Amino acid sequence: MAKRPPITNRVRELREAHDQMSQSALAKAIGVTRQTVIAIERGKYSPSLESAFRIARVFGVGLEDVFGWEGD
Amino acid sequence: MSFREQSAWAMMAILTVGGLWYFNKVRAASVALGETAPPIMPFVIAYIVLIVIASIVAMSVLGMASPEAANAPADERERQADSRAGDLSGYVLGAGVIIGLLHYPLHMDGNMLYHIGFASLMLSQIAEYGLRIWYYRTGS
């Protein structure tokens, strides 16, 4: 089994806080597939820095409001 | 399931069925001859033609089912998965080549060397699609 990256995120929480934005809508907004958004939300995949910034910009928050380091 | 995962499943199935069909023919010919059959070019050509036709049909059907996803380029996670799968499948090909090269001096069987090389190529392609599916599912 692939090792989980030690990065936490609040993507699902932020998405739901934004009028229940769908995974597909977020995927389209940041230029990835819905499966990639699902993988990010489940902590199975750490997005590239560019996609991380895109996600933060979609929600109008800073990068550290979306992503964190496990244990911090 | 994403379009790319569906494509990978389809290609893995096509290559597996095609490979089994081809080597079943080779095995039958070898049994009939009482030794390793030489490369049977009509079967090799039939295998290649069938694989190409089946791939085109499968990709067309999948593409028509979800045209937007079919036209979209691979995203960053999919590219990473494809790259890792390609790297690892190269080891399968390499292992097959080494087995073939070790087998030849021991048995001096050029026909078997050909079949081992062909099988290694098939197996590495099947492994590549299988690994893609694995990485798509585990997050890459």
Side-chain angles (χ1 to χ4, degrees):
Chain A
M1 193 60 134
K3 196 178 168 189
R4 288 171 76 92
I7 295 169
T8 59
N9 72 77
R10 294 174 54 228
V11 173
R12 187 188 180 100
E13 185 186 331
L14 288 163
R15 188 170 55 73
E16 288 172 352
H18 274 71
D19 296 330
Q20 298 288 328
M21 178 190 265
S22 69
Q23 290 170 327
S24 300
L26 177 60
K28 200 167 185 176
I30 62 172
V32 299
T33 61
R34 190 175 71 89
Q35 285 73 22
T36 295
V37 169
I38 293 168
I40 293 169
E41 287 187 357
R42 290 182 180 169
K44 288 181 171 181
Y45 174 69
S46 292
S48 66
L49 194 55
E50 183 183 336
S51 291
F53 268 105
R54 285 184 191 278
I55 292 168
R57 286 171 70 92
V58 165
F59 297 132
V61 296
L63 207 54
E64 290 206 338
D65 296 317
V66 186
F67 298 97
W69 190 261
E70 210 168 68
D72 281 359
Chain B
M1 194 187 295
S2 72
F3 171 78
R4 281 192 159 66
E5 188 180 334
Q6 289 173 358
S7 303
W9 276 111
M11 287 308 298
M12 193 169 74
I14 290 166
L15 289 167
T16 303
V17 170
L20 288 173
W21 173 81
Y22 175 79
F23 278 104
N24 198 37
K25 295 285 184 193
V26 171
R27 188 190 59 81
S30 299
V31 169
L33 285 171
E35 59 181 19
T36 309
I40 309 164
M41 289 323 285
F43 290 148
V44 174
I45 293 165
Y47 166 79
I48 293 167
V49 170
L50 286 173
I51 293 292
V52 170
I53 292 171
S55 306
I56 291 169
V57 170
M59 293 307 118
S60 301
V61 170
L62 291 173
M64 281 188 283
S66 46
E68 198 179 335
N71 286 324
D75 76 4
E76 60 181 48
R77 186 179 63 91
E78 292 168 332
R79 284 196 301 274
Q80 194 179 87
D82 294 353
S83 172
R84 285 181 178 177
D87 286 351
L88 287 176
S89 70
Y91 288 108
V92 176
L93 180 61
V97 169
I98 289 167
I99 289 168
L101 293 176
L102 290 174
H103 184 273
Y104 183 72
L106 294 174
H107 301 276
M108 300 305 276
D109 186 348
N111 291 334
M112 184 57 86
L113 178 61
Y114 175 87
H115 295 312
I116 290 172
F118 201 37
S120 304
L121 202 56
M122 287 181 190
L123 286 174
S124 74
Q125 283 297 294
I126 292 167
E128 180 168 349
Y129 287 112
L131 286 163
R132 280 187 190 188
I133 292 165
W134 168 260
Y135 285 130
Y136 290 157
R137 294 196 152 222
T138 56
S140 184

